[in-house]
Amino acid sequence: MNSLIIDCSAGMKVYLCAGENVISKIAENQKKHTDELLVCVDELLKQAGLTVKDLDVVGVCEGPGSFTGIRVAISICKGLSVESKVKVVVASNFDIIQHGITGDAVFVLDGFSEFVY
């Protein structure tokens, strides 16, 4: 299974799972999503020898986090799915953190400017 996972809620994190191999690119710069995200996706696909049509699923983080980053990530995932008919899966940061945890838990995420989620 080939999966592309994009999280731009805080910085830019892109993961490409090609079979059992995972290739990633992580950038902390919050201001460059629009310029760098598609280039990053293209680089990872080329590095793995894949195209968008080879993807089985695209995952995207819906926040909480940077509104602009989330909007850019979701738009790109939607664009990729329109062209290739790839399935898009959406999850929140809380869903991702909670995965595998049983029982009660409290999660606190950095909300920037001394705020938290």
Side-chain angles (χ1 to χ4, degrees):
M1 176 178 266
N2 298 320
S3 307
L4 178 70
I5 300 133
I6 299 173
D7 178 3
C8 291
S9 61
M12 183 181 74
K13 299 168 207 74
V14 182
Y15 304 93
L16 177 62
C17 304
E20 294 186 21
N21 298 323
V22 178
I23 308 166
S24 65
K25 179 152 186 179
I26 299 173
E28 297 300 322
N29 190 339
Q30 194 71 23
K31 307 289 186 199
K32 297 277 188 172
H33 301 115
T34 308
D35 298 336
E36 296 178 0
L37 187 54
L38 271 176
V39 173
C40 177
V41 169
D42 187 53
E43 286 175 7
L44 293 181
L45 287 170
K46 284 180 180 174
Q47 191 174 349
L50 300 173
T51 68
V52 175
K53 292 186 180 193
D54 294 321
L55 295 173
D56 299 301
V57 67
V58 174
V60 64
C61 181
E62 67 177 351
S66 162
F67 175 76
T68 301
I70 294 167
R71 185 181 64 193
V72 168
I74 289 173
S75 297
I76 287 175
C77 288
K78 184 169 177 131
L80 293 173
S81 73
V82 167
E83 166 61 24
S84 66
K85 308 290 189 238
V86 67
K87 178 181 177 183
V88 176
V89 177
V90 180
S92 75
N93 278 316
F94 296 117
D95 293 334
I96 295 165
I97 293 169
Q98 182 182 354
H99 183 74
I101 295 176
T102 57
D104 295 332
V106 175
F107 304 104
V108 179
L109 299 174
D110 182 7
F112 312 106
S113 301
E114 298 181 19
F115 292 98
V116 296
Y117 297 107

